[in-house]
Amino acid sequence: MTLESLDTGLAGARLTIDLAALEANWRDLAARAAPAECAAVVKADAYGIGIGPAVRRLHDAGCLTFFVAHPEEGLRARTVAPDAVIYVLNGLFPGAVDVLADAGLRPVLGSPDEVEAWAAAGRARGRPLPSALHVDTGMNRLGLDLEEARALAGRADLLAAADPHLVMSHLACADEPEHPLNGRQLERFRAAAALFPGLPASLANSAGIFLGADYQAGLVRPGVALYGGAVRSGRPSPMMPVLHLSAPILRIRRVAAGETVGYGAAETLRRDSRVAILSVGYADGYRRAASAEDGRPGGRVAIGGRVVPILGRISMDLMAVDVTDVPGACRGTAVELIGDHVGLGDVAAAMGTIDYEVLTGLGLRFQRAYLDET
């Protein structure tokens, strides 16, 4: 049996990021949402793949609007997309007015205090500073409530000084198409958007795009779907996978039936086994919840296309996998942790979490390789 070997240099594993797939996903979503504009959410270091390469590739593909969570992320996006519109979703951070204004970043204003502060900053500079308005329609996190939005709509001077270029809200249950809150939020958002005639509107996140044209408004804001994540609860992702995670086998040891593997002696081997050790653990974002124990299987990996189980507890820097049925596996053989045979959704399920958390939790210790980087 011939198996691929993997050289990760000085790192324990390699994270390969397919930028062509990222672009293809954006184009797919843009086509689904047309004629609405398709932006890109690149917060959390572009969901773990790297904000610089991601923004550069999407901007080159024609994406003109980006959303980040923090001002610092906006600054990094600005360095590779100097002419793009960049919104800061988490609003007007205390002390960040000058940074935002100087970099041309637009805060998404979600409280009366933020609106007042941003308007004052524009007056102090002698020109309005662009922003967006966030109206809460049922998430109950950030955002103006409907009464606050009505009050703002009645203050033409304040509205002009705050200079909103977008009114937006965020869906709480878009990944569950039949959830009644979706319809209620749509009705509330239409009422809120009507308070600000002439402003472009945005409601749909990744899953919201798939709810149909009623939810797409003038601009959609896909996030996880760009990176290959699922858009509907309990269903496989319709998007192209963007990342692959592989690690080489450090060593293989023969362990007799009845022996245990890893911390806590959590799993007892039922047969004489060949156990492969990988230099990946929960410090890399491969969560301990995917461990195996007696009576409960854990996550799975793939070797040469053959899916095999994780053995015992995942530790900080190491994990064990069963290669008894892969006789050609040896030191240096490549093991797929996320990829064609073990998808992102499979890993999330084994960890008891969602695609978002797996993506954004991927550690910085991996060797990163970008495919088709321009």
Side-chain angles (χ1 to χ4, degrees):
M1 178 183 295
T2 301
L3 295 173
E4 175 191 5
S5 63
L6 183 67
D7 178 7
T8 59
L10 304 180
R14 177 183 297 160
L15 185 66
T16 303
I17 298 149
D18 187 345
L19 295 173
L22 175 71
E23 177 182 336
N25 286 342
W26 179 78
R27 292 186 182 279
D28 180 327
L29 294 163
R32 292 175 189 269
E37 179 187 353
C38 188
V41 179
V42 293
K43 61 184 179 177
D45 202 27
Y47 285 61
I49 75 167
I51 196 168
V55 170
R56 183 181 297 109
R57 182 56 179 254
L58 292 171
H59 185 256
D60 289 348
C63 184
L64 302 177
T65 303
F66 296 89
F67 288 81
V68 298
H70 301 158
E72 186 274 336
E73 296 173 334
L75 293 177
R76 287 194 284 150
R78 176 62 74 213
T79 63
V80 293
D83 60 339
V85 173
I86 301 173
Y87 288 103
V88 180
L89 286 165
N90 286 14
L92 184 57
F93 282 47
V97 168
D98 289 340
V99 170
L100 294 171
D102 291 344
L105 304 177
R106 301 181 180 185
V108 179
L109 305 174
S111 73
D113 289 345
E114 287 188 343
V115 174
E116 293 276 5
W118 190 246
R123 293 189 191 104
R125 287 176 175 251
R127 60 181 175 86
L129 300 172
S131 65
L133 297 177
H134 183 178
V135 181
D136 180 70
T137 56
M139 181 74 83
N140 288 306
R141 298 187 309 185
L142 299 176
L144 301 163
D145 63 35
L146 290 179
E147 288 305 313
E148 291 169 338
R150 289 190 185 96
L152 176 59
R155 296 187 58 185
D157 57 335
L158 180 59
L159 196 59
D163 196 23
H165 286 237
L166 182 73
V167 57
M168 59 168 281
S169 191
H170 193 64
L171 293 163
C173 302
D175 61 339
E176 301 176 56
E178 305 306 319
H179 199 290
L181 185 55
N182 292 325
R184 293 199 298 270
Q185 285 195 265
L186 178 59
E187 290 178 7
R188 293 169 185 169
F189 183 63
R190 284 172 170 167
L195 297 171
F196 306 100
L199 283 189
S202 178
L203 178 62
N205 53 7
S206 289
I209 294 172
F210 289 80
L211 293 178
D214 286 346
Y215 290 83
Q216 291 165 2
L219 181 144
V220 297
R221 314 183 308 270
V224 73
L226 291 171
Y227 310 99
V231 297
R232 291 196 174 175
S233 180
R235 294 191 182 183
S237 174
M239 314 308 296
M240 293 180 63
V242 171
L243 60 85
H244 293 74
L245 178 62
S246 300
I249 294 173
L250 296 182
R251 70 157 295 171
I252 293 177
R253 63 186 318 127
R254 296 185 180 276
V255 184
E259 292 288 320
T260 60
V261 177
Y263 281 119
E267 184 170 27
T268 305
L269 296 181
R270 297 182 178 182
R271 61 176 179 172
D272 293 345
S273 302
R274 297 175 73 239
V275 178
I277 309 301
L278 314 179
S279 184
V280 177
Y282 57 76
D284 302 294
Y286 204 98
R287 294 179 57 184
R288 192 169 179 265
S291 300
E293 60 186 44
D294 290 339
R296 187 184 70 83
R300 303 175 79 79
V301 300
I303 305 175
R306 187 181 187 113
V307 177
V308 300
I310 292 172
L311 295 173
R313 287 185 184 167
I314 295 166
S315 58
M316 182 180 291
D317 309 299
L318 298 168
M319 69 170 66
V321 301
D322 186 351
V323 296
T324 308
D325 298 323
V326 191
C330 60
R331 174 178 166 83
T333 295
V335 178
E336 172 195 307
L337 287 88
I338 304 173
D340 295 333
H341 302 93
V342 181
L344 181 62
D346 300 322
V347 175
M351 294 181 180
T353 187
I354 55 177
D355 296 6
Y356 298 76
E357 190 169 5
V358 177
L359 284 167
T360 59
L362 293 173
L364 299 177
R365 298 196 296 184
F366 302 133
Q367 178 193 66
R368 292 190 172 219
Y370 289 91
L371 301 181
D372 201 33
E373 188 168 17
T374 56

